Amino acid sequence: MSRVAQIRHRLVSLLLIGGLLVAAAMVYPRLIALLKPPAAVRHRRASPLFKLTGPESIALSDEAVTAIGFELATVEQAPAPEPLRLPGYLMVDPNSLVPIHSRFPGQVVRVGFTEDVNIRGQRIRRPLRFGDNIKERQLLAIVWSTDIGQKKSELVDALSKLALDKTILDSFEQAPGAIPRNKMEEARRNVEADKIQVNAAKRTLAAWQLSEYEINEVIKEASELRESGEQIAAAKTWSELQIVAPRNGVILEKNVNEGEVVDTNDNLFKVADLSTIQVLAYVYEEDLPVIETLKPQERRWLIDLKSDPNDKPREGMFSLIGSVIDQTMRTAPIVGWLENDDRKLRVNQFVTATVELPADPAMVKLPVSALIEEGSTVAVFVESDPAIHEVTRRVVAVTRRGEKMAFVRAIPNKEERDDDALPLRVGERVVISGVLQLDNELDILKSSPDDDNEDAE
């Protein structure tokens, strides 16, 4: 390359470099302006509209209150949650259900009677049947059994032998010198043995649940038979067993008629007292913790009959909460009882059990608009000094929220305290309008404190 060409090339390069420097000088001020915070932001940091008064506190001027629509709401006690409505049905109280058996195998020769009114309005006597009300000690049936006749005969035999041996002993004692000593002792031993046999026969009848009255009747009848000299078989009721009602109640089952042969394992009747009736309801698995926290005196419910929408709910109590969850329905059984003195409740009726849940004193409520959510952390602005419109940001423990209201634990538990949650009490006032702007202003003030020299550049 010639020397002239080299000089020309250098001149062009210098001109290009100079042009770039001039362009850079023109762009630099605009670039610096873009990198600086907007004038509004620089003015906001220095403005008295908002003032940092503490680590998490900010005070608002009157102009700021108007500008952001500053509004407060009072924290209130959380109301009681919605009551639980549990499906269920009525049952016989197992404690009042008595199956009735014959104590001896035999043949039913008679079924008890009750009074009734026939289709013509006449009072009649008819055999007992399902659904009849009965009274304690009412005759239900009579069973003829050779076993009971045999046991009664054993008592009669023992009584007869005792009477005979006692007569012999009495005659010996009237002539003590004429009777050898060994004969006298033998007579005394016979009387003692007879007494033991009589007591054993009585205990056997008592063990077979014959009443004291029935046993005394056997003794009386045996005495009459001895005096009359008739055969024991002449007594018509000798082998009859009376089956009587053990309690007041209703016949729920009748499985016997006259002429049937029955065994000791056969259920002749089932009788239950329906003045108290059992309620079996079902609670969903997720509601169990609430039910279990109820104190014994709080475990009450109102029972409504599904078949009668106009019935008055009946008050009752429940005490048994089942330990097994149904795998299909995911429910657990709850058992309670109802008074049924008017006998209007019937076994197997469907019901709805309503359990009123008490308000949690450790829970407060506030509008959802007061919440500031940052990830898993929820905070609110609480009024700390109304004179200068000062509010303080506070992390709280939200337990659940609805469409309009949120529920907060007044005193956070240990896990919530570990996440910086603080108490929130009834009566405190929280900001419900402009909370996001307040939160932004607080962050700006905390990160960029006022600096009079900041805009001096």
Side-chain angles (χ1 to χ4, degrees):
M1 179 183 297
S2 65
R3 184 173 182 82
V4 175
Q6 290 179 353
I7 293 173
R8 188 181 298 141
H9 178 73
R10 288 179 180 178
L11 288 174
V12 171
S13 298
L14 290 173
L15 290 173
L16 287 175
I17 293 173
L20 290 174
L21 290 175
V22 171
M26 296 176 62
V27 172
Y28 177 75
R30 295 186 180 182
L31 182 61
I32 295 301
L34 290 175
L35 294 175
K36 283 188 175 182
V41 174
R42 295 198 302 274
H43 178 70
R44 184 183 306 167
R45 292 177 179 172
S47 171
L49 293 180
F50 301 96
K51 182 179 181 181
L52 188 68
T53 56
E56 295 291 333
S57 300
I58 183 173
L60 288 75
S61 65
D62 293 338
E63 293 83 356
V65 169
T66 303
I68 70 170
F70 186 73
E71 187 178 352
L72 297 167
T74 302
V75 177
E76 300 177 356
Q77 179 66 53
E82 286 293 319
L84 297 178
R85 291 179 173 84
L86 315 177
Y89 61 95
L90 303 181
M91 300 174 57
V92 177
D93 185 355
N95 294 324
S96 72
L97 181 63
V98 182
I100 299 175
H101 306 266
S102 173
R103 297 190 296 273
F104 306 94
Q107 185 176 26
V108 178
V109 296
R110 180 182 170 187
V111 174
F113 287 85
T114 187
E115 291 189 356
D116 202 352
V117 178
N118 64 12
I119 194 171
R120 299 182 182 87
Q122 301 170 332
R123 298 194 67 83
I124 60 172
R125 281 171 55 83
R126 60 164 177 78
L128 292 170
R129 63 191 181 197
F130 166 79
D132 283 340
N133 292 306
I134 57 173
K135 300 293 185 182
E136 185 177 0
R137 304 300 302 172
Q138 181 176 340
L139 180 66
L140 300 181
I142 295 178
V143 175
W144 191 91
S145 173
T146 57
D147 290 348
I148 191 171
Q150 180 181 354
K151 293 302 177 183
K152 288 181 178 180
S153 297
E154 290 177 2
L155 176 57
V156 172
D157 289 343
L159 289 169
S160 298
K161 192 170 184 303
L162 174 61
L164 177 60
D165 289 342
K166 195 171 185 308
T167 300
I168 294 173
L169 178 61
D170 291 343
S171 64
F172 285 177
E173 290 178 343
Q174 290 176 2
I179 304 300
R181 183 175 179 180
N182 61 339
K183 288 287 186 180
M184 183 70 73
E185 292 298 328
E186 183 180 356
R188 291 194 179 100
R189 286 196 300 271
N190 290 340
V191 170
E192 293 297 326
D194 293 340
K195 289 180 180 179
I196 294 172
Q197 192 65 30
V198 168
N199 290 332
K202 287 181 179 179
R203 285 195 295 270
T204 299
L205 292 177
W208 284 18
Q209 299 183 6
L210 266 70
S211 65
E212 184 177 354
Y213 171 80
E214 291 175 309
I215 295 174
N216 289 334
E217 285 295 308
V218 173
I219 296 173
K220 179 181 177 181
E221 193 170 358
S223 177
E224 292 173 355
L225 289 172
R226 286 199 309 274
E227 292 175 0
S228 64
E230 298 180 5
Q231 297 294 323
I232 293 178
K236 294 182 179 180
T237 61
W238 190 253
S239 296
E240 289 183 354
L241 171 67
Q242 292 188 352
I243 298 177
V244 297
R247 64 189 307 168
N248 296 341
V250 178
I251 298 177
L252 299 184
E253 283 189 21
K254 174 181 175 288
N255 303 312
V256 66
N257 288 307
E258 290 186 9
E260 287 191 40
V261 176
V262 296
D263 197 0
T264 56
N265 295 324
D266 295 335
N267 282 331
L268 307 186
F269 299 89
K270 282 189 178 180
V271 176
D273 180 6
L274 298 183
S275 61
T276 300
I277 202 160
Q278 183 171 290
V279 182
L280 178 62
Y282 295 94
V283 58
Y284 286 104
E285 183 178 2
E286 57 267 26
D287 293 326
L288 272 176
V290 179
I291 290 289
E292 290 175 336
T293 57
L294 296 178
K295 299 176 181 178
Q297 65 270 22
E298 295 175 337
R299 294 186 175 186
R300 297 178 176 274
W301 53 18
L302 295 175
I303 304 300
D304 287 301
L305 297 177
K306 286 190 175 181
S307 59
D308 185 1
N310 298 319
D311 73 311
K312 182 179 179 181
R314 295 172 180 254
E315 293 186 5
M317 297 191 69
F318 63 92
S319 59
L320 177 61
I321 302 175
S323 301
V324 179
I325 301 293
D326 183 271
Q327 293 184 354
T328 303
M329 301 298 296
R330 308 309 303 174
T331 57
I334 295 182
V335 179
W337 290 266
L338 277 180
E339 297 298 326
N340 187 33
D341 294 330
D342 57 4
R343 299 299 194 277
K344 290 186 177 180
L345 299 178
R346 292 171 172 81
V347 177
N348 293 328
Q349 278 187 299
F350 287 109
V351 298
T352 299
T354 303
V355 181
E356 298 286 347
L357 301 176
D360 188 350
M363 203 69 63
V364 296
K365 71 171 185 176
L366 66 161
V368 172
S369 58
L371 303 182
I372 306 165
E373 301 186 57
E374 299 176 357
S376 60
T377 301
V378 181
V380 296
F381 277 103
V382 182
E383 184 180 51
S384 50
D385 188 349
I388 60 173
H389 304 299
E390 181 188 70
V391 292
T392 301
R393 183 165 56 184
R394 186 185 302 175
V395 177
V396 293
V398 177
T399 59
R400 61 188 176 93
R401 68 194 71 195
E403 183 178 350
K404 296 181 179 180
M405 303 300 293
F407 298 88
V408 175
R409 205 183 313 279
I411 306 296
N413 57 34
K414 183 180 184 306
E415 182 179 353
E416 292 162 342
R417 291 196 302 271
D418 292 341
D419 291 334
D420 300 326
L422 297 173
L424 184 66
R425 295 178 174 83
V426 173
E428 292 189 296
R429 286 154 55 89
V430 295
V431 181
I432 60 173
S433 177
V435 292
L436 295 180
Q437 185 174 351
L438 272 177
D439 189 54
N440 183 54
E441 295 291 347
L442 178 61
D443 287 341
I444 292 174
L445 289 171
K446 289 169 60 178
S447 61
S448 301
D450 290 339
D451 187 353
D452 294 338
N453 298 321
E454 182 179 345
D455 296 326
E457 296 177 2

